[in-house]
Amino acid sequence: MAVAAAMPITPSIVGALSCQRDSYLQNLETEVVACEEYTPPKGNQQSGKAKTKKSTDPSKVNGSANSAAPQRTWMIEFADSVLFPEGGGQHSDHGFITPLGVKGSAIPIENIQRHGLRCIHFSQTPLEVGTKVRQTVYYARRWDLMQQHTGQHLLSAIMDGMDLPTLGWSMGQPGEMNYVELPRKPTDAEIVRIQQETNAVIRQNLPITVETPEGKGSSKLPTDYDGEQGVIRFIKIGDLDYNACCGTHLQQTSHIGLVLLHHTQSIRGTNCRLYFSAGDRAINLATESINGLRNLAVSLSSSAAPEEVAAKVQGLSEQVSEGRKREKRMMAELAKFEAQQIRETLQCAVSAFSHRPDDGLDFINLALIELRDTLKGNGVVVLCTGDTKTPGSLVITGQAALVETLSAKVKDIVKNVKGGGKGEKWQGKVTEWQKGEIDALKSAVEEI
């Protein structure tokens, strides 16, 4: 009796994955329908002059980019997936794959991507086609991502009613803030109102549903997503909001917990980023802020009340400002004193040497102002700052011929000096004074 060949499995497409049909699902038994080794695009290679940035190469997600032999990576497609692929502004899920009926440990998965309509899982371990597996999502991460994403939908819906349309948004990595981009900066009163109204809707516990109406398209689809063959999902929050989105979402607004607005940042002219966090992430960030405020209060010998800490910080800032003013006045007085010492030296010598270990180029410039009449064609002065094993500044000024002679000697004496000049002034920067160089430079000046 002939046995019919098994029909090939048609995998679920992105838009109709189990994680999208039921975002609260944590485990799924499925099987491998495709597995091929990942080959990085040749164009991914960067020149040595390129700026360092986070790699998007899936083969480097779990391994070191600097290892001698990059770890091999496989692209695995399953019949279905409880692990959400990155998209819609939402990061991909993390989880693991456990092969069923065979010996082997669980395989961690930290990168899932959408390739057209396909859901691709990047793995350091290959799996044979037909292997039965159990997928498990790290649900704490999923819950956090859903709170941020659904929180953004609700936040944007509230702001739409206030003539503050969302131009774009960015979800922060777990533990970080998110932001929405707006066409203008909200006023302080608007920010208070936005937060109050958003959290009022959260407490109303409106239902959040997913609809996939036939024939209804969206202008927000990625260019490589086939809208005719794929599934276009719309997220509905009660009667308040209706937007196309592929992400995983909560089932009711109360599960968002809360939305906390942070600060704003002006960008691209009049546009503004409004930073926010939602749910447990907002609570954790608030807790960190409270603990930070408490630690700051201890350092300031203050209570942890925000207004008292702010007053203490303001007082400290005023003290620092006054201290800097006093420092400038004292430096000016010291520069006058140093200039007088140089004048007295030049009365009986053609050269003078000044070394101030703890002062910088500002001090040298103040001294030069005091010496501008003294050095008109008479003698030469070398002023330097810094000390052994530290950086410093160096200026040679005075008679042009003497400046040229000393600048040539400086390059021989001071190993780590770079500078230049012509005529009556030569200026250089010492990246690090070596032992004996300052004394040697002083001797060279005195020999003049």
Side-chain angles (χ1 to χ4, degrees):
M1 181 176 178
V3 178
M7 294 292 291
I9 295 175
T10 301
S12 296
I13 62 173
V14 174
L17 300 171
S18 287
C19 59
Q20 295 171 299
R21 296 195 305 271
D22 180 2
S23 59
Y24 287 49
L25 186 65
Q26 300 184 41
N27 299 281
L28 177 71
E29 291 190 5
T30 182
E31 67 177 274
V32 179
V33 297
C35 181
E36 57 186 275
E37 187 168 359
Y38 171 77
T39 303
K42 294 181 180 180
N44 267 12
Q45 302 299 323
Q46 296 183 356
S47 68
K49 296 182 180 179
K51 293 182 179 180
T52 302
K53 67 176 184 178
K54 182 178 179 181
S55 173
T56 56
D57 187 343
S59 66
K60 297 175 182 176
V61 171
N62 295 321
S64 170
N66 298 320
S67 57
Q71 195 166 9
R72 298 170 68 185
T73 302
W74 279 264
M75 301 188 302
I76 304 176
E77 185 177 10
F78 297 94
D80 199 353
S81 182
V82 74
L83 300 171
F84 175 74
E86 181 177 2
Q90 182 173 323
H91 307 304
S92 74
D93 282 334
H94 288 178
F96 56 92
I97 306 296
T98 306
L100 301 176
V102 296
K103 292 183 178 180
S105 57
I107 302 168
I109 301 292
E110 296 185 358
N111 187 19
I112 307 104
Q113 299 293 325
R114 179 187 60 79
H115 287 190
L117 300 177
R118 302 171 64 202
C119 177
I120 304 298
H121 305 68
F122 289 86
S123 167
Q124 305 300 322
T125 304
L127 291 172
E128 292 185 6
V129 173
T131 301
K132 306 289 184 181
V133 301
R134 178 183 295 109
Q135 299 176 344
T136 302
V137 65
Y138 288 134
Y139 198 65
R141 176 184 170 88
R142 161 75 67 78
W143 185 260
D144 170 62
L145 299 182
M146 289 197 297
Q147 285 185 318
Q148 309 316 308
H149 201 165
T150 308
Q152 178 268 317
H153 275 235
L154 177 56
L155 179 62
S156 293
I158 295 297
M159 292 190 295
D160 278 344
M162 299 173 58
D163 192 29
L164 282 167
T166 296
L167 306 178
W169 88 291
S170 175
M171 179 187 291
Q173 291 291 341
E176 299 176 349
M177 290 179 285
N178 322 293
Y179 69 78
V180 288
E181 185 170 336
L182 307 173
R184 64 175 175 84
K185 181 179 178 179
T187 65
D188 291 343
E190 285 176 323
I191 289 177
V192 171
R193 178 184 165 191
I194 292 166
Q195 181 161 282
Q196 288 177 342
E197 292 190 10
T198 302
N199 287 295
V201 173
I202 289 174
R203 292 191 295 272
Q204 290 175 20
N205 199 23
L206 298 183
I208 302 170
T209 56
V210 179
E211 296 182 1
T212 55
E214 291 187 9
K216 186 173 177 61
S218 171
S219 60
K220 299 179 180 179
L221 292 178
T223 55
D224 64 339
Y225 189 87
D226 189 337
E228 294 183 1
Q229 299 296 321
V231 176
I232 302 177
R233 307 166 71 245
F234 287 82
I235 309 302
K236 183 179 181 183
I237 303 178
D239 295 324
L240 182 66
D241 190 49
Y242 192 76
N243 261 301
C245 183
C246 69
T248 56
H249 285 274
L250 300 167
Q251 295 176 355
Q252 56 206 64
T253 59
S254 65
H255 285 181
I256 299 172
L258 79 160
V259 168
L260 184 63
L261 303 185
H262 297 278
H263 62 281
T264 59
Q265 177 187 17
S266 296
I267 58 164
R268 287 189 285 275
T270 60
N271 284 11
C272 173
R273 287 177 179 172
L274 174 60
Y275 287 81
F276 76 96
S277 55
D280 297 340
R281 188 184 297 195
I283 294 172
N284 292 337
L285 284 169
T287 301
E288 290 174 4
S289 298
I290 292 169
N291 289 338
L293 190 65
R294 185 182 298 118
N295 292 334
L296 182 60
V298 171
S299 299
L300 295 171
S301 299
S302 162
S303 76
E307 61 275 10
E308 187 168 339
V309 172
K312 284 279 189 177
V313 171
Q314 179 62 32
L316 187 60
S317 176
E318 292 172 358
Q319 291 177 26
V320 170
S321 178
E322 185 58 35
R324 286 174 176 167
K325 292 178 182 177
R326 287 196 300 269
E327 181 185 13
K328 287 183 179 179
R329 290 195 294 268
M330 291 177 64
M331 184 177 290
E333 291 298 321
L334 285 171
K336 289 180 180 180
F337 176 78
E338 190 72 13
Q340 181 59 33
Q341 296 292 103
I342 292 172
R343 289 192 197 96
E344 292 176 2
T345 300
L346 291 177
Q347 288 177 1
C348 55
V350 74
S351 63
F353 179 80
S354 170
H355 173 227
R356 301 284 301 183
D358 300 323
D359 297 317
L361 186 60
D362 288 344
F363 177 85
I364 290 178
N365 289 331
L366 287 171
L368 290 176
I369 292 172
E370 297 294 328
L371 291 168
R372 58 180 176 267
D373 294 330
T374 304
L375 293 172
K376 289 182 178 179
N378 298 314
V380 65
V381 176
V382 174
L383 304 98
C384 60
T385 66
D387 210 343
T388 304
K389 300 300 181 183
T390 68
S393 298
L394 194 155
V395 173
I396 307 171
T397 184
Q399 190 175 336
L402 296 176
V403 170
E404 183 178 354
T405 300
L406 271 177
S407 62
K409 289 188 176 183
V410 163
K411 296 172 185 177
D412 293 332
I413 296 170
V414 185
K415 180 180 179 182
N416 298 316
V417 66
K418 291 184 179 180
K422 60 181 179 178
E424 298 178 348
K425 185 177 181 181
W426 187 95
Q427 182 171 325
K429 182 177 181 180
V430 182
T431 55
E432 183 181 81
W433 288 101
Q434 300 299 313
K435 184 177 180 180
E437 287 182 344
I438 294 174
D439 290 338
L441 180 59
K442 180 180 179 181
S443 298
V445 174
E446 291 174 345
E447 288 174 2
I448 294 292

